[in-house]
Amino acid sequence: MTDVVVACGQVQPILGDLAANREITTAAILDAAASGARVIVLPELASSGYAFEDGDEARAAAEPANGPTVTLWQRHAADLDVVIVGGFCEQDVNGTIKNSAALVDPSGLRAIYRKAHLWDAERLIFEPGRLPPPVVDTVVGRLSVMICYDLEFPEWVRLPALAGTQLLCAPVNWPKYPRPEGERPGEVTRVQADAAVNRMFIAACDRVGSERGIDWVGGSTIVDADGWPLAGAKASTEPTVFTASCRLTDANDKGVGGLSNIHADRRPDLYGGALEVALVRPASTNVG
Amino acid sequence: MTDVVVACGQVQPILGDLAANREITTAAILDAAASGARVIVLPELASSGYAFEDGDEARAAAEPANGPTVTLWQRHAADLDVVIVGGFCEQDVNGTIKNSAALVDPSGLRAIYRKAHLWDAERLIFEPGRLPPPVVDTVVGRLSVMICYDLEFPEWVRLPALAGTQLLCAPVNWPKYPRPEGERPGEVTRVQADAAVNRMFIAACDRVGSERGIDWVGGSTIVDADGWPLAGAKASTEPTVFTASCRLTDANDKGVGGLSNIHADRRPDLYGGALEVALVRPASTNVG
């Protein structure tokens, strides 16, 4: 039961400059590995930048899963003996463009995940994913992958959690919105809740910088199985690489106090179809 | 589109002393109404206290839904023109003991909810509820009710949210656990997330005090439809009544930025059964 060092490489990609972004992500990967990281998470669309004007611009920045960026990450994973999870703009074998993430380890490409919940205008550019987050057994533990807005749908987070994921790796690009003075970014709060109600570690890697009027939170966060932040969890405007030591086996125990077990205590028999009951029950007869 | 003043009456019930608890809750209700509250939330098991040693002790402190406590709250609701949601130890018509909450308004008893997710040793004492949270149209807006540990199950929170609830009223008794320096109670964080991923206000009313070695957080919280705390949201050892002004119609708009809509963007077709796909997909073939 040894701790696993997990890193976020909160970089600033350059829109449309794939070669530069390979250098930028390489630098973050090397930095993280030098700090002892065994798992390195990079932002959403780290290969390409985010703010495409249209599908043509995205297509010009897209690569297949065996393209230069993911191939490079695979080589780094093998050279450094690490797991890397990073977002990239994918053109799949059918020619469609997807907001994807690759999980690579020393043995090669282990999984591609395509974002299922597309944020804002992404739906005008990308085809949404149709498969649940992959659950991948690696040498450091059982990992899963989802992307940014996916984290806002607790049903989606449940799927890899119920499949025994110990660490959910989430490339994100969290757009910056105003928030009340003294408040942590709301996305971080939701990550904390996603982790705590599943007793699962989560590493969400955000980006910094600005593209075409969009700023990002720079709120990369690593939380433990109780949902407490181990690193990050605050807004930043600076590229940074940070790590946290994670006892991933903590995620195997779903006990949350006394007889309570956050997964076993679910009542899935009541979750489907119950809505209709609630709607049709007249106020005057819902007692007894 | 007027704001609705919502109150939490964070009291300290006395274990097994039903008459004293009626006085304690009455004082909180009068205090809240004097502050302009139109909705007043009281803690879980406010009628009875919490730490029963066994079912017999709970039975001795139980009342039917038309018993003295709920009848008194109904009278207060009518006299003060308010909605009251409070937890009570219920003996139902079949004689079983339940951890319940009543929603009363000036017209009388509108709904009884029985806690579906029983915490720790509660399962040795209470029969769990089998019906989803009631959704009740009141003069101030559409309200729903759930109790404490229920809030840790996002699937459960979804049901009243999808049914158009504007304000979820949650009697709670949050047991106190250690937390990292400077961190808000984790239960508050989960309430923030529950609210934000549904764009629904939540008022969670906790208790204070100590019973048989159990302390409570005293973390009563009122959050807005973005999940930002409007009042409370910190640990306290003192009984208190506080209010927040809530523009409940904000909950009617599920937009969260640009084309994004936190309810319409759900993909329920992917949420059921997807787990199996994730589990059986071998690592080497989940690409393409």
Side-chain angles (χ1 to χ4, degrees):
Chain A
M1 198 172 78
T2 54
D3 289 8
V4 175
V5 178
V6 177
C8 286
Q10 180 175 282
V11 296
Q12 178 171 348
I14 298 170
L15 184 62
D17 192 340
L18 279 68
N21 293 332
R22 281 193 286 277
E23 289 184 22
I24 288 167
T25 57
T26 291
I29 290 165
L30 293 174
D31 186 347
S35 298
R38 301 296 310 283
V39 180
I40 302 166
V41 187
L42 299 168
E44 180 180 6
L45 294 172
S47 69
S48 62
Y50 181 88
F52 301 120
E53 284 198 318
D54 54 32
D56 287 344
E57 196 179 33
R59 188 172 302 272
E63 301 174 70
N66 62 358
T69 296
V70 176
T71 300
L72 176 68
W73 292 346
Q74 286 179 55
R75 206 179 71 213
H76 290 321
D79 290 348
L80 301 166
D81 192 23
V82 298
V83 178
I84 299 170
V85 178
F88 72 108
C89 183
E90 182 187 14
Q91 178 159 16
D92 75 7
V93 291
N94 303 314
T96 59
I97 308 300
K98 294 176 175 173
N99 184 333
S100 299
L103 188 156
V104 298
D105 73 6
S107 73
L109 177 61
R110 296 295 304 278
I112 298 287
Y113 168 74
R114 284 76 180 236
K115 189 176 185 178
H117 301 85
L118 295 175
W119 172 258
D120 191 12
E122 292 172 22
R123 68 199 71 197
L124 307 178
I125 292 173
F126 300 107
E127 180 171 293
R130 296 197 185 88
L131 287 176
V135 178
V136 182
D137 284 321
T138 71
V139 67
V140 299
R142 183 168 283 193
L143 311 187
S144 186
V145 183
M146 64 179 61
I147 301 174
C148 204
Y149 192 37
D150 285 325
L151 291 166
E152 310 284 324
F153 298 87
E155 303 93 331
W156 202 235
V157 178
R158 273 284 196 238
L159 296 177
L162 289 173
T165 294
Q166 295 170 309
L167 171 65
L168 174 61
C169 301
V172 307
N173 278 186
W174 286 331
K176 191 182 284 183
Y177 285 97
R179 60 181 187 279
E181 179 75 22
E183 288 291 336
R184 186 172 271 170
E187 294 86 352
V188 174
T189 302
R190 266 100 70 189
V191 164
Q192 291 183 256
D194 283 334
V197 303
N198 287 294
R199 287 204 40 80
M200 172 176 70
F201 289 76
I202 302 180
C205 185
D206 199 7
R207 61 161 290 170
V208 294
S210 186
E211 288 175 8
R212 292 175 171 159
I214 303 178
D215 297 317
W216 285 276
V217 171
S220 299
T221 301
I222 301 173
V223 301
D224 71 15
D226 292 316
W228 300 124
L230 299 173
K234 57 183 188 295
S236 168
T237 56
E238 295 304 313
T240 180
V241 175
F242 62 73
T243 64
S245 190
C246 300
R247 194 170 58 197
L248 294 186
T249 50
D250 284 357
N252 301 346
D253 177 5
K254 303 301 181 190
V256 287
L259 302 176
S260 304
N261 181 298
I262 199 67
H263 276 175
D265 291 343
R266 294 175 71 239
R267 301 194 61 193
D269 53 314
L270 301 183
Y271 301 154
L275 175 63
E276 286 66 35
V277 178
L279 280 172
V280 301
R281 198 156 31 131
S284 58
T285 62
N286 52 9
V287 178
Chain B
M1 196 174 74
T2 54
D3 289 7
V4 176
V5 178
V6 176
C8 286
Q10 180 175 282
V11 296
Q12 178 171 348
I14 298 171
L15 183 61
D17 192 340
L18 280 68
N21 293 332
R22 282 192 287 276
E23 289 184 22
I24 288 167
T25 57
T26 291
I29 290 165
L30 293 174
D31 186 346
S35 299
R38 301 296 308 284
V39 180
I40 303 167
V41 187
L42 299 169
E44 179 181 8
L45 294 172
S47 69
S48 61
Y50 181 87
F52 301 121
E53 284 200 316
D54 54 31
D56 287 344
E57 196 179 35
R59 188 173 302 274
E63 302 172 69
N66 62 359
T69 297
V70 177
T71 300
L72 176 67
W73 292 347
Q74 286 178 55
R75 207 180 71 213
H76 290 320
D79 290 348
L80 301 166
D81 192 23
V82 298
V83 177
I84 299 170
V85 178
F88 72 108
C89 182
E90 182 188 13
Q91 178 159 15
D92 75 7
V93 290
N94 303 314
T96 58
I97 307 299
K98 294 175 175 173
N99 183 334
S100 300
L103 189 157
V104 299
D105 73 5
S107 73
L109 176 60
R110 295 294 305 278
I112 298 288
Y113 168 74
R114 283 77 179 234
K115 190 176 185 178
H117 301 85
L118 294 175
W119 171 258
D120 190 13
E122 292 172 23
R123 68 198 71 197
L124 308 178
I125 292 174
F126 300 108
E127 181 171 293
R130 295 197 186 87
L131 288 176
V135 177
V136 182
D137 284 322
T138 72
V139 67
V140 298
R142 184 169 283 194
L143 310 188
S144 186
V145 183
M146 64 180 62
I147 300 174
C148 204
Y149 192 36
D150 285 325
L151 291 166
E152 310 283 324
F153 298 86
E155 303 93 332
W156 203 235
V157 178
R158 273 285 196 238
L159 297 177
L162 290 173
T165 294
Q166 295 170 308
L167 170 66
L168 175 60
C169 300
V172 306
N173 279 186
W174 285 332
K176 190 182 285 181
Y177 285 97
R179 61 181 187 278
E181 179 75 24
E183 287 291 337
R184 187 172 270 171
E187 295 86 351
V188 174
T189 301
R190 267 100 71 189
V191 164
Q192 291 184 256
D194 284 334
V197 302
N198 287 295
R199 288 205 38 83
M200 170 176 72
F201 289 76
I202 302 180
C205 184
D206 199 6
R207 62 162 289 171
V208 294
S210 186
E211 289 176 7
R212 293 176 172 158
I214 303 177
D215 296 318
W216 285 277
V217 171
S220 301
T221 302
I222 302 172
V223 301
D224 70 15
D226 292 316
W228 301 123
L230 299 173
K234 57 182 188 294
S236 167
T237 57
E238 295 304 311
T240 180
V241 174
F242 62 74
T243 64
S245 190
C246 300
R247 194 170 58 197
L248 294 186
T249 50
D250 284 356
N252 300 347
D253 177 5
K254 303 302 181 189
V256 287
L259 303 175
S260 304
N261 181 298
I262 200 65
H263 276 175
D265 290 342
R266 293 175 70 240
R267 301 195 60 194
D269 53 314
L270 300 184
Y271 300 156
L275 174 62
E276 285 67 34
V277 178
L279 280 172
V280 302
R281 198 156 32 131
S284 58
T285 62
N286 53 9
V287 179

